[in-house]
Amino acid sequence: MKLATLPLLIILLFASSSAQTRPSARQMAVTIDDLPYVRIGDVAYLPNAERATKKILDALKKHKAPAIGFVNEGKLGNSADRNGRIALLRQWIRANMMLGNHTYSHPDFNRLTIEQFEEEITKGFEVSQGLMKSRVPYQLYFRHPMTHTGDTQEKKEAIEKFLADHGYKVTPHTIENSDFIFNVGYARALQKKDYALAQRIRDAYLDLTIGATAFAEQLAPQVFGREIPQTLLIHVNDLNADCLDELLVRLAQRGYRFVSLDEVMSDPAYQTKDTAVSKFGPSWLWRWSQSLGAKINIDTSADPEPPQWVLDLYKQN
Ligand SMILES: [Zn+2]
């Protein structure tokens, strides 16, 4: 605990306990990628990963958010740390969260053949499957790294079929907040003990997330004629370790109740077949709008981007 952060924590605790309860008309699933942990720089893996895992799970439990964590089992490694890293995944299960498959080594499907990508999927859920035994039966979920779902129609359809044949559903997202960009500057700032910069990054990150949420709330009615349950995509990193509690407070103040991925996937909007082919990884709200031929007027300037100074910190890495 850094002394400099204590006054802020007290303010946050006060803010969360005094937050007014609003009607919970909105729903959101929280999906968290790149388990067990995203390391920036050459810091010791396990202590930092343990800290991030504990803080993220504490925030999820506090807000009764039934999240799913998408694992890259290649990151479990073969070093002396391996058992400790598997123990981190076990903590997710103990906290009543789900695990999903995010491939073995987080490759870019744009650069792989269908067969290579299938191997990555097959290898990607061996340890997790053992850990999830107590949850049988459960729905298997897959998330493509960088949400690159296939840069050609042939690749996209082949992997969709492979996944379906193996019992997987593809996991969409409707809100993305560039947390991986903010996290680089944030983790470096913590390592340099520059707590003023860390605080500035946290503030910008939280504001951007709320802006991205507002954008998704405006876009959904243009595609479906109504707001839909949202799916937030974030990562296990230092930034979310320190921000997730406040982030969930702010989302709850917007009227969100946190629900499981199963629950949002049961919404009719999520039954829409995604037929959009892209080498990029856009939100499913965009994909569904393309698939439905919906006439939408997307003002992309309303979808916030990280500020230039945050991008500069990211590029310096
Ligand atoms: Zn990822």
Side-chain angles (χ1 to χ4, degrees):
M1 175 66 63
K2 311 294 183 305
L3 281 176
T5 63
L6 269 178
L8 174 83
L9 280 177
I10 290 163
I11 292 165
L12 291 182
L13 285 171
F14 179 76
S16 66
S17 62
S18 65
Q20 298 231 326
T21 309
R22 290 201 192 167
S24 300
R26 290 170 163 161
Q27 295 184 345
M28 181 181 289
V30 179
T31 67
I32 306 184
D33 288 8
D34 297 11
L35 271 61
Y37 171 64
V38 178
R39 171 168 59 183
I40 301 297
D42 197 23
V43 296
Y45 190 96
L46 214 42
N48 288 285
E50 280 168 354
R51 171 188 174 276
T53 302
K54 180 178 185 330
K55 290 195 76 180
I56 286 172
L57 290 176
D58 283 351
L60 292 170
K61 281 188 271 186
K62 178 181 162 193
H63 293 276
K64 299 186 170 53
I68 179 165
F70 286 94
V71 183
N72 299 126
E73 292 197 359
K75 284 186 178 176
L76 298 174
N78 289 307
S79 66
D81 273 3
R82 181 177 172 85
N83 285 341
R85 295 184 189 194
I86 293 173
L88 294 172
L89 301 183
R90 202 169 284 122
Q91 285 184 37
W92 285 74
I93 305 285
R94 285 210 190 106
N96 232 9
M97 307 299 159
M98 298 289 288
L99 298 178
N101 186 339
H102 195 36
T103 72
Y104 183 77
S105 70
H106 209 279
D108 182 349
F109 186 24
N110 293 353
R111 295 163 185 263
L112 262 53
T113 64
I114 293 164
E115 293 70 26
Q116 288 170 327
F117 201 63
E118 287 174 355
E119 249 175 67
E120 280 279 343
I121 296 166
T122 304
K123 263 171 69 182
F125 208 65
E126 290 174 354
V127 176
S128 304
Q129 194 163 32
L131 298 174
M132 288 281 283
K133 262 194 186 135
S134 59
R135 301 298 179 79
V136 174
Y138 60 92
Q139 174 62 51
L140 284 165
Y141 286 105
F142 178 75
R143 174 167 276 143
H144 302 73
M146 295 153 278
T147 62
H148 288 177
T149 53
D151 53 338
T152 67
Q153 192 167 348
E154 187 203 355
K155 284 171 75 175
K156 185 167 194 277
E157 287 178 359
I159 286 301
E160 276 173 4
K161 182 173 184 318
F162 180 86
L163 288 167
D165 288 348
H166 291 80
Y168 284 98
K169 283 187 182 173
V170 171
T171 309
H173 74 276
T174 59
I175 301 170
E176 185 279 322
N177 60 8
S178 302
D179 65 336
F180 64 99
I181 291 177
F182 285 89
N183 182 57
V184 170
Y186 185 74
R188 294 287 189 200
L190 288 189
Q191 288 163 21
K192 289 182 201 152
K193 304 196 188 317
D194 186 344
Y195 301 120
L197 176 60
Q199 182 60 49
R200 214 174 135 214
I201 295 170
R202 285 172 52 147
D203 290 344
Y205 170 63
L206 289 164
D207 288 347
L208 181 137
T209 308
I210 297 304
T213 303
F215 178 72
E217 288 162 1
Q218 288 166 15
L219 194 50
Q222 295 190 51
V223 185
F224 296 107
R226 63 183 171 97
E227 278 198 36
I228 64 167
Q230 303 287 354
T231 302
L232 174 69
L233 186 171
I234 56 174
H235 296 83
V236 182
N237 56 31
D238 295 337
L239 179 69
N240 287 314
D242 293 341
C243 288
L244 188 59
D245 182 19
E246 186 176 357
L247 185 55
L248 297 179
V249 167
R250 288 216 208 168
L251 290 168
Q253 286 170 347
R254 280 185 90 79
Y256 281 98
R257 183 169 64 85
F258 304 107
V259 298
S260 67
L261 184 57
D262 283 345
E263 201 166 338
V264 299
M265 293 289 282
S266 71
D267 186 278
Y270 282 73
Q271 316 304 314
T272 311
K273 185 162 171 50
D274 162 29
T275 58
V277 175
S278 168
K279 66 176 176 177
F280 304 108
S283 145
W284 262 251
L285 282 169
W286 183 85
R287 295 169 193 252
W288 288 327
S289 76
Q290 299 299 301
S291 306
L292 294 168
K295 288 201 178 86
I296 51 169
N297 178 22
I298 302 181
D299 174 12
T300 48
S301 67
D303 188 11
E305 295 290 336
Q308 189 59 46
W309 62 271
V310 172
L311 292 170
D312 290 343
L313 290 169
Y314 174 68
K315 286 177 197 147
Q316 280 167 23
N317 186 44

